[in-house]
């Protein structure tokens, strides 16, 4: 289904990531176009190939706390899934949707991000974002099909199997949707929290940013710039600019990404300026207002474009590790701040 047709209640079928992107689009935010694959496609894949029996048998041999049994189950499942064909109906639908995205973007073979969207992911009670795989700068139908299969297989990494076992779900068969979304050639990418995730202060927006795609930060290869900005006044309360030695950019061959060194003159340069911070704080307010709760938002600034067109929203999920003193939003952040002093804003629309 196209992402713009999804809403949060579709998370039970398409997964949290895809449903969240549909919500963001419904709020009028700038989200790259794409489509979502439901968990039914994964179920059809395992049923038609006979993999459901292989998966169940492998997981039945897992002993909680015994890493050898976890590793063996993961290896068995991955080897069985690697060369299993996609069901014809699933492949045909993928071909049609990818062709629609090509027409929408005006590119014969658009580069896409193929991202896992597991059911139960990114909820307010538990989150396992990052446990399943994402594949960036995938181009061409065959490569998209391979990436979808690899996303499904990532349900059974040792880490994912152990996580479910620890939560008492080791014997359950998980399901997964997949998000296929047009890539953003990110000059800068990062995350923001619509509150201070350390103190829980709802009047602050915490922002981290680095050059290029976010892979270097996720992999611990570079330390992002760090900003703390008042959501009420726009004042930059904290600004820490770090040396950013490496970045990931699209491979010149057109598929995949490459790690490159950042030129010396840019390494210690702040990758966000005042206008960027202003735009990101405004984004934080809009996302928070739409969901009515604190959110962790992934974003990117497209290379060669100016604000506001440059800013793209890639994901939003509930902040699950906020200190207990941080209240859940029932209105805007301004309501919370003024409510502390017994005041109420007359109009929360602007």
């Amino acid at each position: 289904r196209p992402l713009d047709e999804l809403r949060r209640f579709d998370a039970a079928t398409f997964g949290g990531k895809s449903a969240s992107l549909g919500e963001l689009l419904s709020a009028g935010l700038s989200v790259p176009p794409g489509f979502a694959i439901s968990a039914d496609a994964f179920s059809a894949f395992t049923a038609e190939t006979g993999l459901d029996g292989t998966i169940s048998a492998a997981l039945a041999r897992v002993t909680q706390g015994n890493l050898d049994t976890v590793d063996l189950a993961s290896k068995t499942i991955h080897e069985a899934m690697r060369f299993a064909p996609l069901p014809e109906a699933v492949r045909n639908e993928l071909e049609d949707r990818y062709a629609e995205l090509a027409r929408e973007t005006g590119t014969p073979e658009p580069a896409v991000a193929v991202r896992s969207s597991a059911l139960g992911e990114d909820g307010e009670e538990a989150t396992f974002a990052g446990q399943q795989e994402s594949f960036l700068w995938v181009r061409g139908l065959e490569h998209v099909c391979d990436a979808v299969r690899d996303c499904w297989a990532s349900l059974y990494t040792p880490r994912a199997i152990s996580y479910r076992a620890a939560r008492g779900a080791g014997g359950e068969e998980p399901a997964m949707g997949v998000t296929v979304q047009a890539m953003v050639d990110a000059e800068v990418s990062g995350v923001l929290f619509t509150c201070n995730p350390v103190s829980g202060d709802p009047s602050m927006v915490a922002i981290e940013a680095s050059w290029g795609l976010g892979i270097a930060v996720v992999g611990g290869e570079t330390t992002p710039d760090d900003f703390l900005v008042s959501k009420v006044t726009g004042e930059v309360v904290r600004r820490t600019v770090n040396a950013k030695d490496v970045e990931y950019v699209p491979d010149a061959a057109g598929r995949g990404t490459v790690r490159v060194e950042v030129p010396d003159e840019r390494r210690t340069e702040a990758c966000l300026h005042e206008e960027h911070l202003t735009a990101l704080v405004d984004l934080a307010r809009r996302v928070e207002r739409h969901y009515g709760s604190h959110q962790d938002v992934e974003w990117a600034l497209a290379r060669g474009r100016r604000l506001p067109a440059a800013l793209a929203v890639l994901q939003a999920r509930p902040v699950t590790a906020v200190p207990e003193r941080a209240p859940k939003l029932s209105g805007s952040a301004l309501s919370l701040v003024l409510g502390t002093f017994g005041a109420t804003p007359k109009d929360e629309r602007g």
Side-chain angles (χ1 to χ4, degrees):
R1 194 184 301 178
L3 291 175
D4 60 7
E5 294 182 8
L6 297 179
R7 296 296 182 269
R8 68 186 74 186
F9 52 77
D10 291 306
T13 306
F14 287 88
K17 188 174 278 85
S18 295
S20 175
L21 290 169
E23 279 291 332
L24 293 167
L25 282 162
S26 76
L29 296 166
S30 179
V31 176
F35 57 91
I37 303 165
S38 76
D40 291 341
F42 172 74
S43 299
F45 172 64
T46 58
E48 291 190 22
T49 57
L51 284 168
D52 47 3
T54 302
I55 293 168
S56 296
L59 293 178
R61 293 191 289 270
V62 170
T63 302
Q64 187 172 352
N66 187 326
L67 296 181
D68 289 339
T69 63
V70 173
D71 289 341
L72 179 59
S74 177
K75 182 178 180 181
T76 300
I77 295 169
H78 275 251
E79 288 180 349
M81 295 182 74
R82 184 173 296 130
F83 300 108
L86 294 184
E88 184 177 359
V90 174
R91 181 184 169 82
N92 289 343
E93 185 75 8
L94 268 172
E95 183 175 10
D96 291 344
R97 297 294 183 180
Y98 188 62
E100 289 177 10
L101 186 59
R103 290 190 290 271
E104 185 173 357
T105 59
T107 306
E109 286 190 329
V112 294
V114 182
R115 309 177 73 188
S116 303
S117 182
L119 273 61
E121 180 181 32
D122 297 345
E124 293 192 23
E125 299 302 321
T127 180
F128 42 90
Q131 288 193 23
Q132 277 80 55
E133 293 289 347
S134 294
F135 301 91
L136 304 182
W137 229 263
V138 180
R139 194 188 297 273
L141 177 63
E142 294 302 324
H143 294 283
V144 171
C145 289
D146 289 344
V148 169
R149 188 191 293 105
D150 289 340
C151 282
W152 289 338
S154 71
L155 273 172
Y156 301 102
T157 61
R159 182 185 176 197
I161 293 173
S162 297
Y163 176 86
R164 289 193 294 271
R167 288 182 58 82
E172 296 180 8
E173 293 187 6
M176 176 184 283
V178 178
T179 306
V180 180
Q181 187 179 26
M183 278 297 308
V184 175
D185 182 7
E187 182 175 11
V188 180
S189 61
V191 297
L192 66 82
F193 296 86
T194 64
C195 62
N196 185 331
V198 177
S199 68
D201 186 345
S203 71
M204 294 292 165
V205 178
I207 301 170
E208 292 186 349
S210 190
W211 299 118
L213 300 167
I215 306 171
V217 175
V218 172
E221 298 175 73
T222 193
T223 302
D225 292 346
D226 172 59
F227 306 88
L228 190 64
V229 188
S230 169
K231 194 183 300 175
V232 180
T233 67
E235 176 190 1
V236 180
V237 177
R238 183 181 70 229
R239 185 194 310 265
T240 306
V241 178
N242 294 300
K244 302 168 289 295
D245 298 337
V246 298
E247 64 178 321
Y248 281 81
V249 298
D251 192 316
R255 291 187 175 90
T257 61
V258 293
R259 180 181 185 270
V260 298
E261 292 189 359
V262 176
D264 290 342
E265 64 272 15
R266 280 203 301 139
R267 290 186 179 185
T268 55
E269 177 187 340
C271 57
L272 294 178
H273 302 297
E274 297 303 323
E275 65 269 23
H276 302 129
L277 295 173
T278 299
L280 288 167
V281 170
D282 180 65
L283 171 63
R285 291 196 195 99
R286 294 179 65 188
V287 173
E288 189 176 66
R289 186 181 304 124
H290 180 76
Y291 281 100
S293 62
H294 298 303
Q295 297 289 308
D296 165 5
V297 183
E298 296 177 26
W299 53 268
L301 293 172
R303 193 181 310 277
R305 305 188 71 177
R306 299 174 63 94
L307 290 172
L311 181 57
V313 188
L314 306 179
Q315 183 58 36
R317 64 178 69 87
V319 177
T320 57
V322 179
E324 289 185 4
R325 82 173 189 85
K328 184 170 182 177
L329 294 176
S330 57
S332 69
L334 186 57
S335 299
L336 290 173
V337 175
L338 295 179
T340 303
F341 302 97
T344 303
K346 294 182 179 180
D347 191 338
E348 296 180 3
R349 291 172 296 177

